[in-house]
Amino acid sequence: MIRRVSLILALSTVLLAVCGDIEKTAAQKVPTRSLKDLFKDDFLIGTAMNARQIEEKDSAGNGLIIRQFNAVTPENVMKAEIIHPGWDKYNFDLADKLVAFAERNNIKVNAHNLIWHSQLPPFVRNMKNTDSVRQYFENHITTLASRYDGKVYSWDVVNEALDEDGSLRKSIFLDKLGDDYVVEAFRLAQKAAPHTKLYYNDYNIEQPKKRAGAIALIKRIQAAGVRIDGIGIQGHWRADKVPMKDIEESIQAFSALGIDVMFTELDLGVLPNPWDHQTADVSQTAAGNEKMNPYANGLPDSVAQMQAKAYKDLFTLFLEYKKNVTRISFWGVNDGQSWLNNWPIPGRTNYPLLFDRDFKPKPAFYSVIATAKEK
Ligand code: G3I
């Protein structure tokens, strides 16, 4: 009798172990629901796409983009220096490939960007003649906005036109076309792209002074009877100091203008910046010292967890304002593809995004989807 009982016990132990493994294996195989699916009733979930992904040469990245995101922004290929390198010379190839990829995969494209003081083609950068600048400005906006009208969902019409104090940034456009150039850019875009949403996009506009400048700019566009549909707060923040109160106040303030609010280039860096260390030590150059690149060999779990909490807090806030927030876009697919590995110091190892260098979800990914399940 005892032998039979012990045999049954042994068998049940084995059975439990096997079931446990099956369950674990099954759990590993059961795909977590995707970001775009979990937030489909709240806001679009997007990412920046680099040239390799647009040419579909990054199979792991492209797979993740198709599975996880329903919006994409070209990181660089629709910027003037690439798409419009000469008076009558346009390179539409990569932009067209992006539009085709997005169409095939039911993804919305936020085209980026029409007017920006940076990454201007050399033939524009040094222009002295006001008429030439005006001609370029009108040609560029009209050609691009009309070509992609109905093919892209939206445009970042003007990018980063403000200084930190909320005044208009000094640029060739302000200098040659005067302080109405932002309104004129939206007027031209509205005429050329009646089926496309038109946005203003900038960083630090959650900060009160710059936010006030952005509000004034939006009101100026609206007062001119010109269409502006939304504002993009870029969201390049440090995981250990996300300005939550400023962000919430900005969602409220921008929404009050009757426009969509989006977070368009979200990344939460985990590395120190040169300006964080007030050091007189001349050997502490910003380039290449260990202090500035502390996680070259891997991200400590404590830092990954801190970042996950920061992302969780952000998405909890976004969900609280889901009636006003229409898109959250990350500025890149995986940590290794982030601009923050090379800015402000080249050659560092940063970890700002939801997927690691092997395209695997990080704790931050799971903390973001947890906010959706807690809805
Ligand atoms: O493609 C060339 C390559 O051929 C060349 O060998 C290499 C070395 O010079 O440069 C490559 O171009 C670089 C490009 O990224 C593609 O990698 C440019 O030098 C580099 O300046 C460019 O940086 C981009 C930056 O904007 C400036 O345009 C970043 O990838 C991009 O993430 C960043 O994105 C901006 C947004 O557009 C606006 N908001 C801020 C955000 C971060 O700066």
Side-chain angles (χ1 to χ4, degrees):
M1 180 57 177
I2 290 169
R3 281 188 58 197
R4 193 179 299 171
V5 167
S6 55
L7 184 61
I8 290 168
L9 274 175
L11 273 175
S12 57
T13 309
V14 170
L15 199 60
L16 275 174
V18 169
C19 287
D21 282 349
I22 289 171
E23 194 180 314
K24 199 167 65 179
T25 311
Q28 279 163 343
K29 282 200 178 123
V30 171
T32 308
R33 284 174 63 200
S34 67
L35 291 163
K36 68 180 179 182
D37 178 40
L38 282 163
F39 294 106
K40 68 181 183 314
D41 300 325
D42 309 311
F43 28 67
L44 293 171
I45 297 285
T47 182
M49 282 185 79
N50 62 34
R52 282 192 71 241
Q53 289 159 350
I54 290 167
E55 292 183 296
E56 301 190 66
K57 291 176 179 169
D58 175 9
S59 52
N62 287 97
L64 257 188
I65 290 166
I66 292 167
R67 172 161 167 64
Q68 295 291 345
F69 302 104
N70 47 22
V72 289
T73 299
E75 187 172 15
N76 291 299
V77 304
M78 292 181 87
K79 290 172 180 173
E81 74 172 351
I82 294 174
I83 204 168
H84 188 188
W87 267 112
D88 297 316
K89 180 165 175 33
Y90 289 89
N91 295 329
F92 295 128
D93 179 46
L94 286 174
D96 291 350
K97 280 183 177 158
L98 171 67
V99 166
F101 170 85
E103 202 166 348
R104 272 201 318 274
N105 294 291
N106 193 24
I107 293 174
K108 288 181 165 56
V109 175
N110 176 64
H112 171 84
N113 53 59
L114 286 172
I115 295 297
W116 187 27
H117 66 280
S118 180
Q119 309 311 116
L120 282 171
F123 84 98
V124 179
R125 230 178 277 158
N126 309 313
M127 271 181 187
K128 298 286 180 272
N129 180 294
T130 296
D131 288 342
S132 302
V133 175
R134 182 176 305 287
Q135 196 61 59
Y136 161 79
F137 184 83
E138 292 173 359
N139 287 358
H140 185 76
I141 294 171
T142 304
T143 304
L144 291 183
S146 54
R147 179 186 179 87
Y148 292 106
D149 189 37
K151 294 177 182 162
V152 300
Y153 179 74
S154 54
W155 266 104
D156 289 338
V157 175
V158 175
N159 188 52
E160 301 172 12
L162 295 169
D163 266 339
E164 296 317 291
D165 65 358
S167 64
L168 284 175
R169 171 198 298 270
K170 303 280 171 289
S171 73
I172 188 170
F173 301 116
L174 178 64
D175 177 37
K176 297 296 182 193
L177 304 179
D179 55 11
D180 249 350
Y181 86 88
V182 176
V183 176
E184 290 317 307
F186 276 85
R187 194 193 304 278
L188 287 164
Q190 175 184 349
K191 186 171 172 219
H195 309 95
T196 310
K197 284 188 175 270
L198 307 177
Y199 303 147
Y200 176 72
N201 190 56
D202 208 334
Y203 61 88
N204 289 354
I205 48 176
E206 74 285 347
Q207 300 301 318
K209 274 191 184 166
K210 200 168 182 178
R211 180 200 314 158
I215 290 170
L217 203 49
I218 293 160
K219 286 183 173 176
R220 190 170 180 163
I221 295 165
Q222 293 173 329
V226 174
R227 177 163 62 88
I228 176 169
D229 300 300
I231 188 157
I233 303 170
Q234 289 183 6
H236 295 299
W237 295 306
R238 281 262 303 280
D240 60 351
K241 52 171 88 172
V242 180
M244 294 299 291
K245 181 172 172 296
D246 292 329
I247 294 166
E248 180 167 14
E249 287 172 0
S250 298
I251 295 172
Q252 293 166 344
F254 290 134
S255 306
L257 302 173
I259 59 173
D260 296 341
V261 180
M262 291 151 285
F263 292 85
T264 53
E265 303 183 11
L266 183 57
D267 45 33
L268 300 184
V270 295
L271 299 184
N273 287 322
W275 47 84
D276 294 341
H277 295 260
Q278 308 307 324
T279 168
D281 176 349
V282 287
S283 71
Q284 283 279 7
T285 54
N289 67 44
E290 269 175 38
K291 248 193 193 155
M292 286 291 144
N293 193 25
Y295 311 127
N297 301 318
L299 184 64
D301 187 53
S302 59
V303 180
Q305 294 304 331
M306 177 275 288
Q307 181 190 54
K309 168 82 170 52
Y311 268 117
K312 181 182 173 69
D313 292 346
L314 266 175
F315 270 77
T316 302
L317 179 67
F318 295 154
L319 283 168
E320 191 183 330
Y321 289 91
K322 64 185 183 182
K323 287 189 174 43
N324 313 102
V325 175
T326 57
R327 172 165 56 92
I328 315 288
S329 289
F330 296 90
W331 202 240
V333 176
N334 88 20
D335 286 339
Q337 298 166 334
S338 170
W339 71 293
L340 289 173
N341 292 308
N342 293 302
W343 185 90
I345 301 171
R348 296 202 292 176
T349 308
N350 210 328
Y351 303 80
L353 299 166
L354 299 190
F355 296 93
D356 68 19
R357 284 165 167 77
D358 298 322
F359 295 95
K360 294 225 176 4
K362 293 158 60 182
F365 171 83
Y366 292 107
S367 71
V368 166
I369 59 171
T371 62
K373 290 174 179 165
E374 286 155 10
K375 277 191 289 183

